């Protein structure tokens, strides 16, 4: 009964639900400025906060454009990571009322990248300071 991010090109909403949340959705700010990223995740969280359901439909078919080169792919991933971190703060109060798996998913989405960054920094520090290959960091990464 809950999905944390209904992807923009693949999502469908009831008109009545959108009208209920339109003002909050259109006035989304990030650090005091209008936000232009992560709108699909933000809308999903607004839906859940309003007590509405979001569902995954495994047999749905949708078409979208995806990055086919590394540069655009990395920009997409950075955009998604920013919206994940930002909107996690909005979702924290929701988590106790949702399925435990969603809590695990949100924790993983936020801790995974942080642990990866920590592993890279620790590995580089070990290499610079000791001139040894940081095998534990390499394995972690």
């Amino acid at each position: 009964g809950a999905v944390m991010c209904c992807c923009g090109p693949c999502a469908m909403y009831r008109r009545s639900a959108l009208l209920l949340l339109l003002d909050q959705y259109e006035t989304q700010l990030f650090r005091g400025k209008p936000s232009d990223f992560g709108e699909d995740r933000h809308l999903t969280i607004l839906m859940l906060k309003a007590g509405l359901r979001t569902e995954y439909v495994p047999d749905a078919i949708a078409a979208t454009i995806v990055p086919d080169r590394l540069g655009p792919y990395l920009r997409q991933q950075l955009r998604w990571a920013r919206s994940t971190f930002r909107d996690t703060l909005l979702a924290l109060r929701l988590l106790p009322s949702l399925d435990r798996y969603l809590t695990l998913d949100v924790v993983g989405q936020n801790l995974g990248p942080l642990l990866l960054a920590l592993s890279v920094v620790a590995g580089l520090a070990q290499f610079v300071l000791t001139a040894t290959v940081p095998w534990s960091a390499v394995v972690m990464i």
Side-chain angles (χ1 to χ4, degrees):
V3 175
M4 292 303 287
C5 182
C6 296
C7 300
C10 306
M12 294 178 67
Y13 299 97
R14 288 193 176 133
R15 186 174 195 274
S16 59
L18 284 174
L19 291 175
L20 177 70
L21 302 170
L22 193 57
D23 287 340
Q24 293 176 66
Y25 177 66
E26 288 184 329
T27 58
Q28 178 187 11
L29 299 175
F30 180 62
R31 297 172 60 186
K33 297 179 182 173
S35 179
D36 61 353
F37 63 91
E39 64 284 344
D40 49 0
R41 181 179 295 274
H42 183 69
L43 181 57
T44 304
I45 291 172
L46 289 176
M47 294 276 178
L48 292 170
K49 281 176 67 175
L52 302 168
R53 290 172 45 97
T54 57
E55 293 223 12
Y56 172 69
V57 180
D59 55 342
I61 298 172
T64 186
I65 298 170
V66 297
D68 59 355
R69 292 188 324 274
L70 185 60
Y73 172 75
L74 292 176
R75 281 192 297 280
Q76 175 198 59
Q77 294 302 306
L78 178 61
R79 225 178 34 253
W80 287 0
R82 287 189 330 198
S83 69
T84 297
F85 293 135
R86 179 198 61 204
D87 289 327
T88 292
L89 296 175
L90 290 173
L92 283 178
R93 283 182 240 134
L94 284 173
L95 292 178
S97 65
L98 301 175
D99 188 90
R100 289 184 196 149
Y101 174 75
L102 284 176
T103 301
L104 179 63
D105 183 47
V106 169
V107 168
Q109 284 180 9
N110 286 277
L111 285 184
L114 296 176
L115 291 174
L116 176 62
L118 181 63
S119 297
V120 169
V121 169
L124 288 173
Q126 179 180 334
F127 184 72
V128 168
L129 296 173
T130 66
T132 61
V133 177
W135 290 112
S136 60
V138 170
V139 169
M140 176 68 80
I141 293 168

